[in-house]
Amino acid sequence: MTPVSAVRPYLTLLVARCRQETQYRAAALFGMATQLFWGLVRIAIFTAFLKAGANRSSMSLPQTVTYLWLVQGMIRAMPWSVDAEIRNLVREGTVVYELLRPIDLYFSWYMRAFARHAIPTIMRAIPLFVAAVLLFHMQMPPTVSAGALFVTGVVLALLLAAAISTLINISLLFTISGDGIQRILPAIANFASGLLIPLSFLPSALRRVLRILPFCSLIDTPARFYLGQIGTPEAASMFAQTLIWILALSWFGRFLILRASKRMVVQGG
Amino acid sequence: MTSQIEVNNLAKSFRVAKRTSGVFGALGSIFRREYQNRVALSNVSFAIEAGELVGYIGPNGAGKSTTVKILSGILVPDSGTVRALGMCPWKQRTQYVQRIGVVFGQRTQMWWDLPVIDSFHLLRDIYSVPDAQFRRRCGELTDQMNLGAFLNTPVRQLSLGERMRCDLAAALLHSPEVLFLDEPTIGLDAVSKLALRQLVKSLNVEHGVTVILTTHDMDDIEALCSRVIVIGDGEILSDGPLTELRNSIARERWLTVELEGDQMFSPPANTTIMRREGNQVWLRYDPVITPTPLLISAIAATNNVRDLLVQEPPIEEIIAHIYQNGQP
C-alpha cells in the first residue's frame, strides 16, 4: 500500500466530519454572540480589578483585554466534553461497526475530534476577532512574526485538543457514561489553560507548574505569542513541549483503545 | 485443502456483576461487588467451506451473536482457535475485516445524517476500493436492490426495509468473500423479507460469497440454507443439512383429513389425532411404520372424505424440540 492510499481513509473521514461541522452555521452565529457578550462582561470585571491597582502581572490593561478576546475566540478548542455521537455508539453497541472497518480506530476518532474542535473554532474566532478589533479594543499582534507564531500555536492547540478529546472519548469504552470525566475535566482545563484567569496573573510557583502541564498550550501559550511576549527561540522550545504532549497523549490513547478492544464486550443481539 | 473458516474448541464466558436489589444492596455493591460467570460458548467447533450458505440458529442467549462477533474479529475468545481466510480474526483484525462483510439487523453502519450515497463514498475510501470498481459495484447493487429512489435520502429518513437493503449493499461494496448476517430480517415486512432473501441467495449462487446467517425466522432457513448449525447453551446441538435435521428428530408427517359432514372418525392403527375442528381432523403418524399410501387408502375406505393433505411438521416444531431437549 502506498503512503497516500494508507492516509486516504482518514482524510476522507476528516473532510466528511468538517463538512458536517460547517452545517452548524446558526449555532456558530449565536455562539459568537454569546462569546461577545461574555467577553464584554469579563473585560468589565478585569478592568475594574486592574484599575483598582491589583495588577502585579506582566500584562498591561490593553494586553489583558486582548488576551480575554483571544480566550473568547478559542473557547471551542477546549476539550470539555465527550463526543455525544461516540457516546451513543458506545451505549447502543453500534461501536462494533467501528471495529469492523479496516482502519485504525484511534486515528479515525482523532480525525473526528480534530474536526469537532477546528471547524467551530475557525467559524467563531475569525468573525469574533474582526468585531473585537474594530469595536472593542482588541489589539493586532505587534509584529508579523508574533502573528505567525500565534497561528502555529493555534494549530498545535487544536491538535492537542483533539488528542485530549479522543482520550476522553476512549474513556467511554471503560465507563460507558462518561459523566464523571465531563464534570471534572472542564474545571481543571479551564483553570490550567488560562481560560478563567490569564496564567500571568497567578503566583509564579503555580504558574511554573501549570506551564509544564499540557493545558497551557490550549490558550495561554498561543495568547502570549499573539501579544508578542515570547521570542522565536523560546517559542521553539514551547512548540517542542506541546508536540511532546500531543505525541504522548496520542500514544497513550492508542494504547488504551487497543486494550479496550481486546476486552470490549458488546452486549445483546 | 483446508476449509475457509475453521473453528476449534471455542469458549467464551462473560463476567456479569451481581447486584442485590434495594437501597442496601446498592450501597453494598459500592464496596464489594460479586460477579457471576456466564458461559456464552463452551466448546464450539465447526468448519465452513467456501461458497456455503449456513444457517446458525439457537434460542436467545445461546451464543449465536457471540460466535458471530468472534468470527468477525471484534471479540476475543477465552480459548480455542479460529482460522478464517487464512487469518486469525482478532489478531489480524484490520486485514481480515477488509475481506468480510457484516450486517447486524438491529444496528446500522451508515452515517445517520448523511445521504445514503455519501455513506457509500465514505465506505469506498475506508475500504480503499478503486474508483472504477466502486462505480461498477455500486451500480450493480443499486439495480439489484432497487436503491435508486433513495440514494440521496439521509439514512435517518429511510424505512426499516429500505435501510436494511442499504445496509446490505453497504456491507458488499468492498466485495467481501464472507458475509455475516445477524438477524437480517428482524422487523421486516413480508415483501422486504422475500426481497432480502432473494438477494442473499443470488449473492451466494452467482458470486460465490460464503454466507453465515443467524436468525429466529425459520422461513429464512428453509428458503436459504443448505446447512444448519443449531447451538444451545453454548454448545453445538446439531450440524448438517436441513433434511437430515428433520429426519433426525422424527420422521413424522401430518395428515389433515376433511370429512363429508360431521361424521364419526376413528383413527387407524399407529396414528394419533392431534386435534379436531368440525369436519377437519389432524393426524400425526410415522411414514415408516404406516406408509402414506396405505394410510390414505385405509382412511378413504372407511370414511367419506372430501379432501386430504399431507405435510411435514413445520420447522419451528423441530427446532423447539431441539431447544427443549438439548439434542436431536
Side-chain angles (χ1 to χ4, degrees):
Chain A
M1 205 187 257
T2 61
V4 177
S5 66
V7 173
R8 192 168 155 209
Y10 306 102
L11 284 182
T12 307
L13 284 173
L14 178 66
V15 171
R17 204 66 216 166
C18 287
R19 272 181 53 198
Q20 197 170 337
E21 291 291 346
T22 52
Q23 288 175 3
Y24 308 127
R25 283 182 287 265
L29 192 67
F30 286 105
M32 198 191 96
T34 313
Q35 258 38 286
L36 213 53
F37 173 75
W38 281 110
L40 290 172
V41 171
R42 298 190 64 212
I43 285 168
I45 295 169
F46 273 89
T47 308
F49 269 115
L50 298 190
K51 286 215 168 133
N55 192 358
R56 295 208 185 85
S57 81
S58 54
M59 290 209 311
S60 66
L61 180 58
Q63 281 183 324
T64 308
V65 169
T66 304
Y67 188 105
L68 292 174
W69 282 125
L70 289 169
V71 166
Q72 296 308 109
M74 292 287 290
I75 233 155
R76 282 299 299 261
M78 294 297 291
W80 271 340
S81 57
V82 299
D83 186 333
E85 245 179 79
I86 291 186
R87 176 152 71 168
N88 285 341
L89 288 182
V90 173
R91 283 204 169 174
E92 291 161 12
T94 316
V95 70
V96 294
Y97 275 124
E98 302 274 304
L99 288 168
L100 283 172
R101 300 196 164 125
I103 49 175
D104 188 289
L105 187 56
Y106 181 80
F107 290 115
S108 82
W109 280 12
Y110 183 90
M111 290 298 169
R112 221 187 135 83
F114 182 77
R116 200 166 77 97
H117 288 296
I119 298 298
T121 303
I122 293 166
M123 284 203 311
R124 275 157 227 232
I126 292 173
L128 183 88
F129 290 162
V130 170
V133 166
L134 292 179
L135 304 171
F136 303 111
H137 309 297
M138 182 176 175
Q139 297 174 325
M140 293 293 279
T143 59
V144 176
S145 73
L149 287 177
F150 169 71
V151 171
T152 317
V154 170
V155 171
L156 284 174
L158 292 170
L159 288 170
L160 177 68
I164 299 174
S165 257
T166 311
L167 210 51
I168 303 169
N169 291 333
I170 291 167
S171 80
L172 288 171
L173 295 175
F174 297 89
T175 65
I176 298 182
S177 88
D179 284 343
I181 200 146
Q182 280 212 99
R183 294 220 159 81
I184 212 164
L185 190 83
I188 297 171
N190 287 357
F191 182 70
S193 64
L195 183 140
L196 280 181
I197 303 162
L199 296 189
S200 304
F201 284 88
L202 296 175
S204 63
L206 182 57
R207 201 165 59 211
R208 267 200 295 280
V209 175
L210 292 182
R211 285 193 173 147
I212 295 168
L213 293 180
F215 300 103
C216 68
S217 305
L218 293 171
I219 287 184
D220 191 66
T221 309
R224 288 198 298 152
F225 290 144
Y226 186 98
L227 295 174
Q229 293 181 336
I230 300 165
T232 314
E234 210 187 331
S237 78
M238 292 168 96
F239 287 149
Q241 188 195 323
T242 311
L243 264 176
I244 288 168
W245 271 118
I246 294 171
L247 291 176
L249 292 172
S250 309
W251 175 85
F252 183 54
R254 201 149 176 280
F255 164 78
L256 279 185
I257 217 165
L258 285 177
R259 253 200 57 178
S261 59
K262 292 256 180 315
R263 57 175 279 282
M264 185 167 359
V265 174
V266 175
Q267 287 162 335
Chain B
M1 210 192 105
T2 50
S3 309
Q4 194 175 36
I5 299 173
E6 264 176 53
V7 177
N8 285 310
N9 311 318
L10 216 54
K12 175 85 192 172
S13 47
F14 297 111
R15 237 159 56 111
V16 183
K18 211 159 75 178
R19 292 271 175 91
T20 349
S21 58
V23 178
F24 291 106
L27 284 176
S29 69
I30 295 174
F31 304 107
R32 192 166 49 87
R33 281 222 188 157
E34 280 178 55
Y35 289 96
Q36 237 173 350
N37 236 24
R38 247 188 71 185
V39 177
L41 296 178
S42 62
N43 186 11
V44 168
S45 306
F46 56 83
I48 292 173
E49 305 298 329
E52 273 195 279
L53 209 169
V54 181
Y56 195 67
I57 60 176
N60 289 327
K64 292 189 305 291
S65 288
T66 305
T67 315
V68 171
K69 282 168 193 161
I70 291 174
L71 285 184
S72 50
I74 52 182
L75 197 64
V76 183
D78 298 340
S79 65
T81 57
V82 175
R83 194 105 194 122
L85 298 167
M87 288 179 267
C88 173
W90 56 92
K91 284 191 187 136
Q92 289 147 286
R93 188 176 61 79
T94 29
Q95 288 153 275
Y96 177 71
V97 295
Q98 177 81 43
R99 292 169 62 188
I100 64 165
V102 186
V103 177
F104 291 106
Q106 321 211 42
R107 317 183 194 279
T108 178
Q109 68 157 323
M110 287 179 296
W111 283 262
W112 204 241
D113 294 314
L114 297 179
V116 176
I117 189 72
D118 285 14
S119 279
F120 286 2
H121 284 143
L122 278 169
L123 289 169
R124 172 196 64 194
D125 288 347
I126 288 172
Y127 284 95
S128 311
V129 183
D131 212 39
Q133 191 189 323
F134 169 78
R135 252 175 287 146
R136 186 157 30 86
R137 186 80 178 159
C138 189
E140 272 173 25
L141 291 167
T142 308
D143 287 346
Q144 276 180 5
M145 311 205 191
N146 256 324
L147 309 179
F150 42 84
L151 271 184
N152 291 308
T153 313
V155 173
R156 58 166 190 267
Q157 291 174 10
L158 297 179
S159 77
L160 186 62
E162 291 166 344
R163 209 209 71 204
M164 256 336 286
R165 267 141 71 197
C166 291
D167 253 312
L168 188 59
L172 293 168
L173 285 170
H174 59 288
S175 313
E177 293 154 68
V178 182
L179 182 63
F180 294 95
L181 300 173
D182 195 5
E183 301 186 22
T185 54
I186 198 165
L188 293 187
D189 64 41
V191 179
S192 308
K193 262 186 200 173
L194 285 178
L196 199 84
R197 278 182 205 144
Q198 221 161 23
L199 278 167
V200 173
K201 190 92 198 169
S202 78
L203 271 171
N204 177 254
V205 176
E206 285 161 31
H207 300 275
V209 178
T210 311
V211 181
I212 293 147
L213 169 85
T214 79
T215 184
H216 288 298
D217 188 332
M218 292 311 148
D219 294 338
D220 287 349
I221 299 285
E222 293 214 84
L224 290 172
C225 303
S226 46
R227 173 179 167 198
V228 184
I229 300 175
V230 185
I231 183 173
D233 279 333
E235 282 178 74
I236 288 188
L237 301 176
S238 138
D239 179 356
L242 197 57
T243 44
E244 205 173 279
L245 179 66
R246 250 184 216 293
N247 294 337
S248 68
I249 308 287
R251 298 157 310 214
E252 198 176 85
R253 292 277 193 288
W254 291 3
L255 176 67
T256 315
V257 185
E258 196 181 328
L259 301 165
E260 283 297 351
D262 215 3
Q263 50 181 294
M264 279 285 293
F265 181 82
S266 49
N270 297 320
T271 65
T272 6
I273 295 185
M274 292 191 291
R275 98 193 134 94
R276 170 161 192 172
E277 259 170 43
N279 57 348
Q280 285 203 320
V281 183
W282 282 267
L283 284 178
R284 153 198 301 188
Y285 65 99
D286 183 333
V288 173
I289 300 172
T290 325
T292 309
L294 294 183
L295 178 67
I296 289 177
S297 50
I299 291 174
T302 53
N303 297 281
N304 254 338
V305 178
R306 190 187 291 162
D307 198 6
L308 286 164
L309 174 65
V310 181
Q311 283 173 296
E312 290 188 308
I315 190 82
E316 270 90 353
E317 300 269 328
I318 295 170
I319 301 300
H321 182 87
I322 301 183
Y323 289 176
Q324 275 158 20
N325 297 312
Q327 47 184 289

